[in-house]
Amino acid sequence: MSKIDFDETLTSFDEVVRRPSTGSRRFGSDDPLRVPAMHDVIYPAVPFPSARIFREAGEAAIRRLVHDQHERLRDSPVGALFPADEQRFRAAVERSEDFFVEMLGGPDVFTSTRGQPALRERHFPVSITEADRLTWLDCLAQAMVESGFPASCHEELWNWVEPLSIRMINRRTTMYAVERLPFADYPRFRKGIHHD
Amino acid sequence: MSKIDFDETLTSFDEVVRRPSTGSRRFGSDDPLRVPAMHDVIYPAVPFPSARIFREAGEAAIRRLVHDQHERLRDSPVGALFPADEQRFRAAVERSEDFFVEMLGGPDVFTSTRGQPALRERHFPVSITEADRLTWLDCLAQAMVESGFPASCHEELWNWVEPLSIRMINRRTTMYAVERLPFADYPRFRKGIHHD
């Protein structure tokens, strides 16, 4: 696979679908149409978190956070993506806990036994849409706020998982760019606002 | 949505997965990793066919081609993506015939009633993988060869549908770039080779 040359004409599906229609095109003429090359999602850079989160929150709070997120995921529209069998569900949650513990600065409890994260590849067997990502993120945000995860760690954690989660999307359902959810604008993190 | 700035560091998932491993990375340090922005599929330019195909093949041969392709699709691994109901299946085939007739230079029998093609958008309700595309293309290639579609039109037709079909993929199952199938290398079009 040779390196792709990006030229100035490379547009995104998002731009194409937002562009005002230029009227009907005539197909099958003797001067036929050439539709230019396009790209779809640009997966933004992912700033991994520092060890500060592990130091400030501690292992127990990280495990509780992931556990609580998964209790919410189970009852959410993406619940069917997780194992129905209780033992297999618990094993999946524990793997996810291990992943978070290590990524946030704790001991090497994930990569030493399971290898590099390669999260996009690991998720290919399951169809994950843009909406599934939003659900996953919101279950995490709920758990962050309601499980007593230190508020001092919310922004750094979110700034990692928000772009990271875009890489799990493997089933596109729209021409539009994937939605970004900046920490400062996410309703669950706004103080003094109550949500159910 | 502002225009995306492509910088020199933007790599593809394909490049990342082919790159030799640089050993294990340490996560959760005080100098944390920043994974750079990436892209996935680059959808190549699509050269639409000229009216020559309609002139040389004629409407009946174009309709027979699409009909025969769909008989093969029905018995293929993508058969379940088409309506099981006979009447709805026939209606889908007829819409596809109309599309081909107009795109290849015939009368305006598709866009006048159904609007601009917008094929990627039309296919979003159905999950289409890289393998599904290969099946669709191969059923068309079989029909081109075995239904008496004029050999003089094979290459121009293929050079349109091969890149066009990449735009129907909406379910990724691999990090690798989408396979290209150049006309000159596609076994079914090589003279003197028999396939079943």
Side-chain angles (χ1 to χ4, degrees):
Chain A
M1 186 65 200
S2 61
K3 199 152 169 65
I4 290 152
D5 291 321
F6 288 98
D7 65 31
E8 283 166 34
T9 66
L10 194 71
T11 54
S12 68
F13 287 143
D14 181 273
E15 289 167 76
V16 169
V17 80
R18 290 174 192 273
R19 188 183 291 163
S21 170
T22 51
S24 61
R25 294 182 291 195
R26 175 72 186 109
F27 299 98
S29 72
D30 282 317
D31 178 22
L33 184 68
R34 183 182 168 90
V35 173
M38 295 179 199
H39 66 84
D40 189 22
V41 180
I42 299 299
Y43 300 82
V46 180
F48 272 61
S50 72
R52 184 182 68 85
I53 300 187
F54 188 82
R55 284 195 299 265
E56 294 192 12
E59 180 162 341
I62 295 170
R63 292 195 180 273
R64 189 166 58 242
L65 173 70
V66 176
H67 171 276
D68 288 3
Q69 178 200 20
H70 281 78
E71 290 303 307
R72 288 173 170 81
L73 286 168
R74 211 177 194 179
D75 294 333
S76 80
V78 307
L81 304 187
F82 291 88
D85 174 72
E86 182 67 18
Q87 205 177 333
R88 290 184 56 227
F89 180 78
R90 288 292 148 219
V93 175
E94 195 181 326
R95 283 195 299 275
S96 189
E97 290 179 15
D98 289 347
F99 174 75
F100 271 72
V101 165
E102 180 172 343
M103 296 301 127
L104 299 181
D108 181 353
V109 288
F110 184 89
T111 58
S112 58
T113 55
R114 302 186 57 81
Q116 290 295 300
L119 291 188
R120 182 167 169 81
E121 288 178 273
R122 287 185 199 271
H123 286 81
F124 278 137
V126 179
S127 174
I128 299 176
T129 67
E130 308 88 356
D132 296 336
R133 165 184 173 251
L134 297 181
T135 299
W136 187 94
L137 281 172
D138 197 54
C139 287
L140 183 67
Q142 283 180 57
M144 284 162 71
V145 170
E146 294 167 19
S147 301
F149 198 73
S152 62
C153 297
H154 286 189
E155 186 165 2
E156 189 175 348
L157 180 61
W158 190 257
N159 288 347
W160 170 51
V161 294
E162 189 274 326
L164 179 68
S165 59
I166 296 176
R167 296 178 186 228
M168 302 320 125
I169 297 170
N170 54 36
R171 170 69 164 95
R172 289 285 277 153
T173 69
T174 169
M175 298 282 274
Y176 292 104
V178 173
E179 191 180 352
R180 299 304 306 269
L181 304 165
F183 180 79
D185 300 336
Y186 201 75
R188 294 200 191 274
F189 300 128
R190 278 150 73 183
K191 291 185 185 69
I193 299 178
H194 294 279
H195 306 279
D196 42 33
Chain B
M1 187 64 201
S2 63
K3 198 152 170 65
I4 291 152
D5 291 320
F6 288 99
D7 64 34
E8 284 166 34
T9 65
L10 193 70
T11 54
S12 68
F13 286 143
D14 181 274
E15 290 168 73
V16 169
V17 80
R18 289 174 193 273
R19 186 182 293 163
S21 169
T22 51
S24 62
R25 294 183 290 195
R26 177 71 186 111
F27 298 97
S29 72
D30 281 318
D31 179 22
L33 184 70
R34 183 182 168 89
V35 174
M38 295 181 200
H39 67 83
D40 189 21
V41 181
I42 298 298
Y43 301 82
V46 180
F48 272 62
S50 72
R52 185 182 68 86
I53 300 187
F54 187 82
R55 285 195 299 266
E56 293 192 14
E59 180 162 343
I62 294 169
R63 292 193 179 275
R64 191 166 56 244
L65 173 69
V66 176
H67 172 274
D68 288 3
Q69 177 199 21
H70 280 79
E71 290 302 308
R72 288 171 170 82
L73 285 169
R74 210 178 194 180
D75 294 333
S76 80
V78 307
L81 304 188
F82 291 88
D85 174 72
E86 182 66 19
Q87 205 178 331
R88 290 184 55 227
F89 180 78
R90 289 291 147 220
V93 175
E94 195 180 326
R95 283 195 299 275
S96 189
E97 289 180 16
D98 289 347
F99 175 74
F100 270 74
V101 165
E102 180 172 343
M103 297 300 128
L104 299 180
D108 181 355
V109 288
F110 183 90
T111 57
S112 59
T113 55
R114 303 188 55 80
Q116 291 295 299
L119 290 188
R120 182 168 170 81
E121 289 177 273
R122 286 185 199 271
H123 286 81
F124 277 136
V126 179
S127 174
I128 299 176
T129 67
E130 308 89 355
D132 295 336
R133 166 185 173 249
L134 297 181
T135 300
W136 188 93
L137 281 172
D138 197 55
C139 287
L140 183 67
Q142 282 180 57
M144 284 162 71
V145 171
E146 294 167 20
S147 301
F149 198 72
S152 62
C153 298
H154 286 187
E155 186 165 2
E156 188 175 347
L157 180 60
W158 190 257
N159 288 347
W160 169 52
V161 293
E162 190 273 328
L164 179 68
S165 59
I166 297 176
R167 296 177 186 230
M168 303 319 125
I169 297 171
N170 55 36
R171 170 68 164 97
R172 289 284 277 151
T173 68
T174 169
M175 297 283 275
Y176 292 103
V178 173
E179 189 179 355
R180 298 305 306 268
L181 304 166
F183 180 78
D185 300 335
Y186 201 74
R188 294 198 190 276
F189 300 127
R190 279 148 73 181
K191 291 184 185 68
I193 298 178
H194 293 281
H195 307 277
D196 44 30

